[in-house]
Amino acid sequence: MLYECSHVVSPFSPSIVLASVGLEGQNGSHYEPKPVPPPLPNKCDWEIEPSELDFTNSNIIGKGSFGEILKAFWRGTPVAVKRILPSLSDDRMVIQDFRHEVILLVKLRHPNIVQFLGAVTERKPLMLITEYLRGGDLHQHLKEKGALSPLAAINFALDISRGMAYLHNEPNVIVHRDLKPRNVLLVNSNADHLKVGDFGLSKLVKVQNSHDVYKMTGETGSYRYMAPEVFKHRKYDKKVDVFSFAMILYEMLEGEPPFSDFEPYEAAKYVAEGHRPTFRSKGFNISSLKELTDQCWAADMNKRPTFIEIIKRLEKIKENLPPDHHWHLFNP
């Protein structure tokens, strides 16, 4: 068994139960049934019974860090199920990563974070169940739609920033470490709301006070969106997510991935040498978004803004946007 779960104390105290047994009114007795306390669980309240998952006509909707992601149904509700591949079911590192992701997701509650629903941890295959978002991922959306209008890009950027500001909140900082369009999901086909997902590579860091230095090393994430300090195997912190965010913002405004002519590894190497993607889009006030992007992908991670600061900047830029019909974006 992967987890040990403590019993939950019933919220019903004896005095509450006694007070609720019966009430007597002026015109005779009035009876209200005694409330029944919920049963004390003997396992985690998020442990899902595999038989409750219906994989009839299910289809693979993605690949995770240690398995495949399928659309299925849980108690009639469409869900996304990340399932460890049979070939990896006995891999200690894979099981450890799975356990780490579950522990992280249990803690998360935010409108811009994919909602965790439960997990199968007591039987194989191990499975992680989250809400199913019908809109697909941002990568596919940009591939189909191309460059977004500045207003749409700002709204998407705000959604991502709010989710990330929640994750970066001290003292329990969660560094995503793999923020990219494929890990940002659209809630529905109307493309009006985003959520950050896939926490397989995320890292929980305890911070005692705001002056603490909490830094990690190691090459983790996706090359095309990777901060230079990660590629160089130098110490890094939560500002690596800000760098990746800048690359996503660029892609939303330009309609193509940063350094799309390069292979991912070569793109990361080029970025680590000090190069940055070039904006071609032009229009009223577009310079304010470029300026913000430039700050977010600064070579010195200490010069990158926090996501709280990014949210304030984006909201101000949004307030100053001219009407949509005044935008003139073109590629020279």
Side-chain angles (χ1 to χ4, degrees), residues 56-68:
T56 306
N57 299 322
S58 67
N59 57 301
I60 297 176
I61 55 177
K63 298 286 185 180
S65 50
F66 48 70
E68 57 192 6

Side-chain angles (χ1 to χ4, degrees), residues 223-277:
Y223 283 120
R224 195 172 299 282
Y225 305 89
M226 184 180 288
E229 61 268 23
V230 180
F231 184 82
K232 294 177 180 179
H233 291 222
R234 294 178 178 171
K235 289 183 178 180
Y236 63 87
D237 62 16
K238 64 183 179 181
K239 290 297 185 68
V240 298
D241 291 339
V242 175
F243 183 94
S244 300
F245 165 81
M247 291 298 208
I248 296 173
L249 182 53
Y250 168 86
E251 188 166 339
M252 290 192 295
L253 291 168
E254 290 293 317
E256 62 179 30
F259 297 121
S260 56
D261 295 337
F262 289 68
E263 290 298 316
Y265 179 85
E266 294 302 320
K269 185 172 181 289
Y270 196 54
V271 165
E273 292 169 353
H275 302 279
R276 296 292 182 271

Side-chain angles (χ1 to χ4, degrees), residues 12-24 30 32-35:
F12 294 91
S13 66
S15 60
I16 296 175
V17 173
L18 289 172
S20 304
V21 170
L23 296 174
E24 193 164 316
H30 172 70
E32 289 188 0
K34 177 181 177 179

Side-chain angles (χ1 to χ4, degrees), residues 149-152 154-155 282-289 314-329:
S149 70
L151 179 60
I154 290 171
N155 284 334
K282 295 181 180 180
F284 294 104
N285 266 355
I286 195 72
S287 60
S288 57
L289 287 170
L314 286 170
E315 288 175 339
K316 188 172 182 180
I317 294 171
K318 184 177 178 179
E319 287 177 4
N320 295 325
L321 280 181
D324 285 344
H325 65 274
H326 287 164
W327 284 98
H328 302 288
L329 300 177

Side-chain angles (χ1 to χ4, degrees), residues 109-116 130-133 136-138 155-156 158-164 167 176 179-188 192-199:
R109 297 286 187 278
H110 191 274
N112 297 114
I113 299 294
V114 174
Q115 183 183 355
F116 169 78
T130 65
E131 63 178 323
Y132 172 71
L133 302 180
D137 62 47
L138 181 59
N155 284 334
F156 277 7
L158 279 168
D159 279 346
I160 297 170
S161 299
R162 287 169 180 147
M164 294 307 302
L167 293 178
H176 192 288
L179 190 59
K180 60 183 179 182
R182 288 187 187 276
N183 289 340
V184 177
L185 305 176
L186 282 70
V187 173
N188 52 47
D192 55 8
H193 187 48
L194 293 183
K195 295 193 178 192
V196 177
D198 200 334
F199 295 88

